[in-house]
Amino acid sequence: MNQTESSADAARSAQQPVLTIDKLSVALVGEHGPGRPVVKSLSFDVKAGETVCIVGESGSGKSVTSLAVMGLLPKDSLTPTGGRILLEGENLLEASQRRLRDLRTTGMAMVFQEPMTALNPVQRVGEQVDEVLRLHTKLGREERRKRVIAMLESVHLPDVERIYRSYPHELSGGQRQRIVIAMALILKPRLLIADEPTTALDVTTQKQILALIKELQTEQGTAVIFITHDFGVVAEIADRIVVMNQGSVVETGTRDEILAHPKQDYTRMLVSSVPSLIPHHRTQPTGETVLTVKALTKYYGSSKSWFGGATASGTPAAQDVDLILRRGEVVGVVGESGSGKSTVARCVMRLIDPNSGEINLNGTDIATMGRGALMPMRKRIQIVFQDPYRSLNPRRRVGESIIEGLLNYNVSRAEAESKARHALKTVGLPEDVYDRYPHQFSGGQRQRICIARALVMEPDVLVADEAVSALDVSVQAQVLALLDEVRERVGVGVLFITHDLRVAAQICDTIIVMQRGRIVEQGTAVEVLTKPRESYTRALIEAAPGRHWDFQHFRAVA
């Protein structure tokens, strides 16, 4: 073979996809063979150095596809029924379990959404990264340690010697995700699958993680499959996009083709559901004040004095926080992880006790109330949590979960059931939901049930702590519209905790920006997001993914 032919072969090899999925089908496992299909004749490929984003609503088959590639489909519930999955020409569906174990981390690796579920909580993170090398290489202990330290440095972790010795709970969410990425990439796999790896991260940490994946991808030529429901992220990183719905490919194309000129109605619906970063001009509520917080301060790690008072020692999580919430108003609290957003929400709910300050609920200070005196006040302030899957008891019918609070306040069962059915109607759910179980509903429906459970108490204040961050863009749009409608109809004041500036722009009347436990800026949503005064606020807006895209009109803007 001459040099010209060798060069041509090398060029052709470079153009070969790292991964080819050819007419893949996956079905539920039935008693008498394969049951209902969940992935249907799926085909796409990923080349070296390319990022392919897979988007679609929950249940579209995105994560099932990734698990099929990794050979991690649960054998008792899902099985491949056709097609091929080729990793550099090798059909993974025909590979033995031993071969698949060898290929994981060496040929392909996966980063999951929640790093705490991927890390052993009782093992130091350096040892966990070292374990990958110990199992898949013949390197000595000292050489492995050098490789791990170098990898931790390459993912831009600070003070890597300390990080190496740390346990997962001692690190932030962004640092834990970097550890998981280090574990995935330390053996330089040809394919990286990232399944919602930035969903729970604030915008600045998210920006760092995306830049890190891109940097490592450029250095190592890694092919990346990125599964996400965040179209801002898609706009930032995608080379090509695969749109899935109910197990089938709806549309594929380049980033600009899909985001600027979608051909299919389903794709247009998804893209147009992405909230804009530009807030609407809203008439500021002028109703009565339902919640006033003054000089709220909370220290973690503080101790109690001999006389029962909390000392001011420890780590400050919230300091001198002031806010006012009026009836029918939505006040958003935004900031990075560790900024104090959730601490403020938990103090307001009295789920934790503040060290000092006032929390006036309809004129009554509940900040220092004992548990007995606080009990009658709790019905006036309710909360909707981030994860609708963990917020409902899976063993109780929906109706029983909704009426539980009313029964605790001595409302008769007949009246409680009547109010519960009315609350379900208020959130757009049919009455037959009452007698069904949580597992029979989608994530968006479950969150509606959680909102109904909060509203049935007829509260003056509703705290929404990242209530839509885990939802698909289409479901997110529906829940945001529901909260806005309920706020107008019922007049409840909403304290809205979020790290997503797009969501804050669409629903909030007032925005409070927090950093390191303190309020750095507050004002109307229009003022804060279009004319920010503080450099920190400007940095948050700059970090918002896809901020140069107007998803509402399917075109890029300058």
Side-chain angles (χ1 to χ4, degrees), residues 445-513:
Q445 289 171 322
R446 292 188 204 204
Q447 199 64 296
R448 287 172 182 261
I449 291 168
C450 292
I451 294 171
R453 183 177 60 179
L455 292 177
V456 77
M457 303 300 294
E458 299 178 354
D460 296 307
V461 176
L462 179 66
V463 177
D465 191 359
E466 299 283 8
V468 298
S469 65
L471 303 177
D472 302 319
V473 287
S474 56
V475 179
Q476 185 183 80
Q478 295 167 12
V479 173
L480 289 176
L482 169 64
L483 284 172
D484 204 32
E485 178 187 342
V486 167
R487 186 259 313 174
E488 286 189 358
R489 188 192 313 168
V490 180
V492 64
V494 181
L495 186 63
F496 197 89
I497 313 297
T498 184
H499 67 261
D500 191 330
L501 296 183
R502 292 181 181 279
V503 169
Q506 295 310 299
I507 196 171
C508 296
D509 302 294
T510 302
I511 290 180
I512 294 172
V513 183

Coordinates of all heavy atoms in Angstrom, one line a residue, residues 445-513:
Q445 N -48.2 15.9 35.8 CA -49.4 15.6 36.5 C -49.2 15.5 38.0 O -50.0 16.0 38.8 CB -50.1 14.4 35.9 CG -50.7 14.5 34.5 CD -51.1 13.2 33.9 OE1 -50.5 12.2 34.1 NE2 -52.2 13.2 33.2
R446 N -48.1 14.9 38.4 CA -47.8 14.8 39.8 C -47.6 16.2 40.4 O -48.0 16.4 41.5 CB -46.6 13.9 40.0 CG -46.8 12.4 39.7 CD -45.6 11.6 40.1 NE -45.5 10.4 39.3 CZ -44.9 9.3 39.7 NH1 -44.3 9.3 40.9 NH2 -44.8 8.3 38.9
Q447 N -46.9 17.0 39.7 CA -46.7 18.4 40.2 C -48.0 19.1 40.3 O -48.1 19.9 41.3 CB -45.7 19.1 39.3 CG -45.0 20.3 40.0 CD -44.1 19.9 41.2 OE1 -44.6 19.4 42.2 NE2 -42.8 20.2 41.1
R448 N -48.9 18.9 39.4 CA -50.2 19.5 39.6 C -50.9 19.0 40.8 O -51.6 19.8 41.5 CB -51.1 19.2 38.3 CG -50.7 20.0 37.1 CD -51.4 19.5 35.9 NE -51.0 20.2 34.7 CZ -51.7 21.2 34.1 NH1 -52.8 21.7 34.7 NH2 -51.2 21.8 33.0
I449 N -50.8 17.7 41.1 CA -51.4 17.2 42.3 C -50.7 17.8 43.5 O -51.4 18.1 44.5 CB -51.2 15.6 42.3 CG1 -52.0 15.0 41.2 CG2 -51.5 15.0 43.7 CD1 -51.7 13.5 41.0
C450 N -49.4 18.0 43.5 CA -48.7 18.6 44.7 C -49.2 20.1 44.9 O -49.4 20.5 46.0 CB -47.2 18.6 44.4 SG -46.5 17.0 44.5
I451 N -49.5 20.8 43.7 CA -50.0 22.1 43.8 C -51.4 22.1 44.4 O -51.8 22.9 45.2 CB -50.0 22.8 42.5 CG1 -48.5 23.0 42.0 CG2 -50.7 24.2 42.5 CD1 -48.3 23.5 40.6
A452 N -52.2 21.1 44.0 CA -53.6 21.0 44.5 C -53.6 20.7 46.0 O -54.4 21.3 46.8 CB -54.3 19.9 43.8
R453 N -52.6 19.9 46.4 CA -52.5 19.6 47.9 C -52.2 20.8 48.7 O -52.6 21.0 49.8 CB -51.4 18.5 48.1 CG -51.3 18.0 49.5 CD -50.2 16.9 49.6 NE -48.9 17.3 49.2 CZ -47.8 16.5 49.2 NH1 -48.0 15.3 49.7 NH2 -46.7 17.0 48.8
A454 N -51.3 21.7 48.1 CA -51.0 22.9 48.8 C -52.2 23.9 48.8 O -52.5 24.5 49.8 CB -49.8 23.6 48.1
L455 N -52.9 24.0 47.6 CA -53.9 25.0 47.5 C -55.2 24.6 48.3 O -56.0 25.5 48.7 CB -54.3 25.2 46.1 CG -53.3 25.8 45.1 CD1 -53.8 25.9 43.7 CD2 -53.0 27.2 45.6
V456 N -55.4 23.3 48.6 CA -56.6 22.9 49.3 C -56.6 23.5 50.7 O -57.7 23.6 51.3 CB -56.7 21.4 49.3 CG1 -55.7 20.8 50.4 CG2 -58.1 20.9 49.6
M457 N -55.5 23.9 51.2 CA -55.4 24.5 52.6 C -55.7 25.9 52.6 O -55.8 26.6 53.6 CB -54.0 24.3 53.1 CG -53.5 22.8 53.2 SD -54.5 21.8 54.2 CE -54.2 22.5 55.8
E458 N -56.0 26.5 51.4 CA -56.3 27.9 51.2 C -55.3 28.8 51.8 O -55.6 29.7 52.7 CB -57.7 28.2 51.7 CG -58.8 27.4 51.0 CD -60.2 27.6 51.6 OE1 -60.3 28.3 52.7 OE2 -61.2 27.1 51.1
P459 N -54.0 28.6 51.4 CA -52.9 29.4 52.1 C -52.9 30.9 51.6 O -53.4 31.2 50.5 CB -51.7 28.7 51.7 CG -52.0 28.1 50.3 CD -53.5 27.8 50.4
D460 N -52.3 31.7 52.4 CA -52.0 33.1 51.9 C -50.7 33.1 51.2 O -50.5 34.0 50.3 CB -51.9 34.0 53.2 CG -53.2 34.1 53.9 OD1 -54.2 34.4 53.2 OD2 -53.2 33.9 55.1
V461 N -49.7 32.2 51.5 CA -48.4 32.2 50.9 C -48.1 30.8 50.4 O -48.4 29.8 51.1 CB -47.3 32.6 51.9 CG1 -45.9 32.5 51.3 CG2 -47.5 34.0 52.4
L462 N -47.7 30.7 49.1 CA -47.2 29.4 48.5 C -45.8 29.6 48.2 O -45.3 30.4 47.4 CB -48.0 29.2 47.2 CG -47.7 27.9 46.5 CD1 -48.1 26.6 47.3 CD2 -48.4 27.8 45.2
V463 N -44.9 28.7 48.8 CA -43.5 28.6 48.5 C -43.3 27.6 47.4 O -43.6 26.4 47.7 CB -42.7 28.3 49.8 CG1 -41.2 28.3 49.4 CG2 -42.9 29.4 50.8
A464 N -42.7 27.9 46.3 CA -42.4 27.0 45.2 C -40.9 26.9 45.1 O -40.2 27.8 44.7 CB -43.0 27.5 43.9
D465 N -40.3 25.8 45.7 CA -38.9 25.6 45.7 C -38.4 24.8 44.5 O -38.4 23.6 44.5 CB -38.5 24.9 47.0 CG -37.0 25.0 47.3 OD1 -36.2 25.5 46.4 OD2 -36.5 24.5 48.3
E466 N -37.9 25.4 43.5 CA -37.5 24.8 42.2 C -38.6 23.9 41.7 O -38.3 22.7 41.2 CB -36.2 24.0 42.5 CG -35.0 24.8 42.9 CD -34.3 25.6 41.8 OE1 -34.9 25.6 40.7 OE2 -33.3 26.2 42.0
A467 N -39.8 24.4 41.7 CA -41.0 23.5 41.4 C -41.1 23.1 40.0 O -41.9 22.1 39.7 CB -42.3 24.3 41.8
V468 N -40.4 23.7 39.0 CA -40.5 23.3 37.6 C -39.1 22.9 37.0 O -39.1 22.5 35.8 CB -41.1 24.4 36.8 CG1 -42.5 24.7 37.2 CG2 -40.3 25.6 36.8
S469 N -38.1 22.8 37.8 CA -36.7 22.6 37.2 C -36.5 21.2 36.7 O -35.7 21.0 35.8 CB -35.7 22.9 38.3 OG -35.7 22.0 39.4
A470 N -37.3 20.2 37.2 CA -37.1 18.9 36.8 C -38.1 18.5 35.6 O -38.1 17.3 35.2 CB -37.3 17.9 37.9
L471 N -38.8 19.4 35.1 CA -39.9 19.1 34.2 C -39.5 19.4 32.7 O -38.6 20.3 32.5 CB -41.2 19.9 34.5 CG -41.7 19.7 35.9 CD1 -43.0 20.6 36.1 CD2 -42.1 18.2 36.2
D472 N -40.0 18.7 31.8 CA -39.8 19.0 30.4 C -40.3 20.4 30.0 O -41.2 21.0 30.7 CB -40.6 18.0 29.5 CG -40.2 16.6 29.7 OD1 -39.1 16.3 29.9 OD2 -41.2 15.8 29.8
V473 N -39.7 21.0 29.0 CA -40.1 22.4 28.6 C -41.6 22.5 28.4 O -42.2 23.5 28.8 CB -39.3 22.9 27.4 CG1 -37.9 23.2 27.8 CG2 -39.4 22.0 26.2
S474 N -42.2 21.6 27.7 CA -43.7 21.7 27.4 C -44.5 21.6 28.7 O -45.4 22.4 28.9 CB -44.1 20.6 26.5 OG -43.8 19.3 26.9
V475 N -44.1 20.6 29.6 CA -44.8 20.5 30.9 C -44.5 21.7 31.8 O -45.4 22.2 32.5 CB -44.4 19.2 31.6 CG1 -45.1 19.0 32.9 CG2 -44.7 18.0 30.7
Q476 N -43.3 22.1 31.7 CA -42.9 23.3 32.5 C -43.7 24.5 32.1 O -44.2 25.3 33.0 CB -41.4 23.6 32.3 CG -40.8 24.7 33.1 CD -39.3 25.0 32.7 OE1 -39.1 25.7 31.7 NE2 -38.4 24.5 33.5
A477 N -43.9 24.7 30.8 CA -44.8 25.8 30.4 C -46.2 25.7 30.9 O -46.8 26.7 31.3 CB -44.8 25.9 28.8
Q478 N -46.7 24.5 30.9 CA -48.1 24.3 31.5 C -48.2 24.6 32.9 O -49.1 25.2 33.4 CB -48.5 22.8 31.2 CG -48.6 22.5 29.7 CD -48.7 21.0 29.5 OE1 -48.9 20.2 30.5 NE2 -48.6 20.5 28.3
V479 N -47.2 24.1 33.7 CA -47.2 24.4 35.2 C -47.0 25.8 35.5 O -47.6 26.4 36.4 CB -46.1 23.5 35.9 CG1 -46.0 23.8 37.4 CG2 -46.5 22.0 35.7
L480 N -46.1 26.5 34.8 CA -46.0 28.0 35.0 C -47.3 28.7 34.7 O -47.6 29.6 35.4 CB -44.8 28.5 34.1 CG -43.4 28.1 34.5 CD1 -42.4 28.6 33.5 CD2 -43.1 28.6 35.9
A481 N -47.9 28.3 33.6 CA -49.2 29.0 33.2 C -50.2 28.7 34.3 O -51.0 29.6 34.7 CB -49.7 28.4 31.9
L482 N -50.2 27.5 34.9 CA -51.1 27.1 36.0 C -50.9 27.9 37.2 O -51.8 28.5 37.8 CB -51.0 25.6 36.3 CG -51.7 25.1 37.6 CD1 -53.2 25.3 37.4 CD2 -51.3 23.7 37.8
L483 N -49.6 28.1 37.6 CA -49.3 28.9 38.8 C -49.7 30.3 38.6 O -50.2 31.0 39.5 CB -47.8 28.8 39.1 CG -47.2 27.5 39.7 CD1 -45.7 27.5 39.7 CD2 -47.8 27.3 41.1
D484 N -49.5 30.9 37.4 CA -49.9 32.2 37.1 C -51.4 32.4 37.2 O -51.9 33.4 37.7 CB -49.4 32.6 35.7 CG -49.2 34.1 35.6 OD1 -48.9 34.8 36.6 OD2 -49.4 34.6 34.5
E485 N -52.1 31.4 36.6 CA -53.6 31.4 36.6 C -54.1 31.3 38.1 O -55.0 32.1 38.5 CB -54.1 30.3 35.8 CG -55.6 30.2 35.8 CD -56.1 28.9 35.1 OE1 -55.3 28.3 34.3 OE2 -57.2 28.5 35.3
V486 N -53.5 30.4 38.8 CA -54.0 30.2 40.2 C -53.7 31.5 41.1 O -54.5 31.9 41.9 CB -53.3 29.0 40.9 CG1 -53.4 29.0 42.4 CG2 -53.8 27.7 40.3
R487 N -52.5 32.1 40.8 CA -52.2 33.3 41.5 C -53.2 34.4 41.3 O -53.6 35.1 42.2 CB -50.8 33.7 41.1 CG -50.2 34.9 41.8 CD -50.2 36.2 41.1 NE -49.8 36.1 39.7 CZ -49.9 37.1 38.8 NH1 -50.4 38.3 39.2 NH2 -49.5 36.9 37.6
E488 N -53.6 34.6 40.0 CA -54.6 35.6 39.7 C -56.0 35.2 40.2 O -56.7 36.1 40.8 CB -54.7 35.7 38.2 CG -53.5 36.5 37.6 CD -53.7 36.8 36.1 OE1 -54.8 36.4 35.6 OE2 -52.9 37.4 35.5
R489 N -56.4 34.0 40.2 CA -57.7 33.6 40.5 C -57.9 33.5 42.1 O -58.9 34.0 42.6 CB -58.0 32.2 39.9 CG -59.5 31.8 40.1 CD -59.8 30.4 39.8 NE -59.1 30.0 38.5 CZ -59.0 28.7 38.1 NH1 -59.4 27.7 38.9 NH2 -58.5 28.4 37.0
V490 N -56.9 32.9 42.8 CA -57.0 32.7 44.2 C -56.4 33.9 45.0 O -56.8 34.1 46.1 CB -56.3 31.4 44.6 CG1 -56.4 31.1 46.1 CG2 -56.9 30.2 43.8
G491 N -55.4 34.6 44.4 CA -54.8 35.7 45.1 C -53.7 35.3 46.1 O -53.3 36.1 46.9
V492 N -53.2 34.1 46.0 CA -52.2 33.6 46.8 C -50.9 34.3 46.5 O -50.6 34.6 45.3 CB -52.0 32.1 46.8 CG1 -51.6 31.7 45.4 CG2 -51.0 31.6 47.8
G493 N -50.1 34.7 47.5 CA -48.7 35.2 47.2 C -47.7 34.1 47.0 O -47.8 33.1 47.8
V494 N -46.9 34.2 46.0 CA -46.0 33.1 45.7 C -44.5 33.5 45.9 O -44.1 34.5 45.3 CB -46.2 32.6 44.2 CG1 -45.2 31.4 43.9 CG2 -47.6 32.1 44.0
L495 N -43.8 32.8 46.7 CA -42.3 32.9 46.9 C -41.7 31.9 46.0 O -41.8 30.7 46.3 CB -41.9 32.8 48.3 CG -40.5 33.1 48.7 CD1 -40.1 34.6 48.3 CD2 -40.1 32.8 50.1
F496 N -41.1 32.3 44.9 CA -40.6 31.3 43.9 C -39.1 31.2 43.9 O -38.4 32.2 43.5 CB -41.1 31.9 42.5 CG -41.1 30.8 41.4 CD1 -42.2 30.0 41.2 CD2 -40.0 30.7 40.6 CE1 -42.2 29.1 40.2 CE2 -40.0 29.8 39.6 CZ -41.1 28.9 39.4
I497 N -38.6 30.1 44.3 CA -37.2 29.8 44.4 C -36.7 29.1 43.1 O -37.3 28.1 42.7 CB -36.8 29.0 45.6 CG1 -37.5 29.4 46.9 CG2 -35.3 28.9 45.7 CD1 -37.1 30.8 47.3
T498 N -35.7 29.7 42.4 CA -35.3 29.1 41.1 C -33.9 29.5 40.8 O -33.4 30.5 41.2 CB -36.2 29.5 40.0 OG1 -35.9 28.8 38.8 CG2 -36.2 31.0 39.7
H499 N -33.2 28.6 40.0 CA -31.9 28.9 39.5 C -32.0 29.2 38.0 O -31.0 29.6 37.4 CB -30.9 27.8 39.7 CG -31.2 26.6 38.9 ND1 -31.8 25.5 39.5 CD2 -30.9 26.2 37.6 CE1 -31.9 24.5 38.6 NE2 -31.4 24.9 37.4
D500 N -33.2 29.1 37.4 CA -33.5 29.3 36.0 C -34.0 30.7 35.7 O -35.1 31.0 36.0 CB -34.5 28.2 35.5 CG -34.6 28.2 34.0 OD1 -34.3 29.2 33.3 OD2 -34.9 27.1 33.5
L501 N -33.1 31.5 35.2 CA -33.5 32.9 34.9 C -34.6 33.0 33.9 O -35.4 34.0 33.9 CB -32.3 33.7 34.5 CG -31.2 33.9 35.5 CD1 -30.1 34.8 34.9 CD2 -31.7 34.4 36.8
R502 N -34.7 32.1 33.0 CA -35.8 32.1 32.0 C -37.2 31.9 32.7 O -38.1 32.6 32.3 CB -35.6 31.0 30.9 CG -34.4 31.2 30.0 CD -34.3 30.0 29.0 NE -33.2 30.2 28.2 CZ -33.2 31.0 27.1 NH1 -34.2 31.6 26.7 NH2 -32.1 31.1 26.3
V503 N -37.2 31.0 33.6 CA -38.5 30.8 34.3 C -38.8 32.0 35.2 O -39.9 32.4 35.2 CB -38.3 29.5 35.2 CG1 -39.5 29.4 36.2 CG2 -38.2 28.2 34.4
A504 N -37.8 32.6 35.8 CA -38.0 33.7 36.6 C -38.6 34.9 35.8 O -39.4 35.6 36.2 CB -36.7 34.2 37.3
A505 N -38.0 35.0 34.6 CA -38.5 36.1 33.7 C -39.9 36.0 33.3 O -40.6 37.0 33.2 CB -37.6 36.1 32.4
Q506 N -40.4 34.8 33.2 CA -41.8 34.6 32.8 C -42.9 34.7 33.8 O -44.0 35.0 33.6 CB -41.9 33.2 32.1 CG -41.1 33.1 30.8 CD -41.3 34.3 29.9 OE1 -42.4 34.5 29.4 NE2 -40.3 35.1 29.6
I507 N -42.5 34.4 35.1 CA -43.6 34.3 36.1 C -43.4 35.3 37.2 O -44.4 35.6 37.9 CB -43.6 32.9 36.7 CG1 -44.9 32.6 37.5 CG2 -42.3 32.6 37.6 CD1 -45.1 31.2 37.9
C508 N -42.3 35.9 37.4 CA -42.0 36.7 38.6 C -42.4 38.2 38.3 O -42.1 38.8 37.3 CB -40.6 36.6 39.1 SG -40.1 35.0 39.6
D509 N -43.0 38.8 39.3 CA -43.2 40.3 39.3 C -42.0 41.0 39.9 O -41.5 42.0 39.3 CB -44.4 40.6 40.2 CG -45.7 40.0 39.8 OD1 -46.2 40.3 38.7 OD2 -46.2 39.1 40.5
T510 N -41.4 40.4 40.9 CA -40.2 41.0 41.6 C -39.2 39.9 41.6 O -39.5 38.7 41.8 CB -40.6 41.5 43.0 OG1 -41.6 42.4 43.0 CG2 -39.4 42.0 43.7
I511 N -37.9 40.3 41.5 CA -36.8 39.3 41.5 C -35.8 39.8 42.6 O -35.4 41.0 42.6 CB -36.1 39.2 40.2 CG1 -37.1 38.4 39.2 CG2 -34.8 38.4 40.3 CD1 -36.5 38.2 37.8
I512 N -35.4 38.9 43.5 CA -34.4 39.1 44.5 C -33.2 38.3 44.1 O -33.3 37.0 43.9 CB -34.9 38.7 45.9 CG1 -36.0 39.7 46.3 CG2 -33.8 38.8 46.9 CD1 -36.7 39.3 47.6
V513 N -32.0 38.9 43.9 CA -30.8 38.2 43.6 C -29.9 38.0 44.9 O -29.6 39.0 45.5 CB -30.0 38.9 42.5 CG1 -28.7 38.1 42.1 CG2 -30.8 39.2 41.3

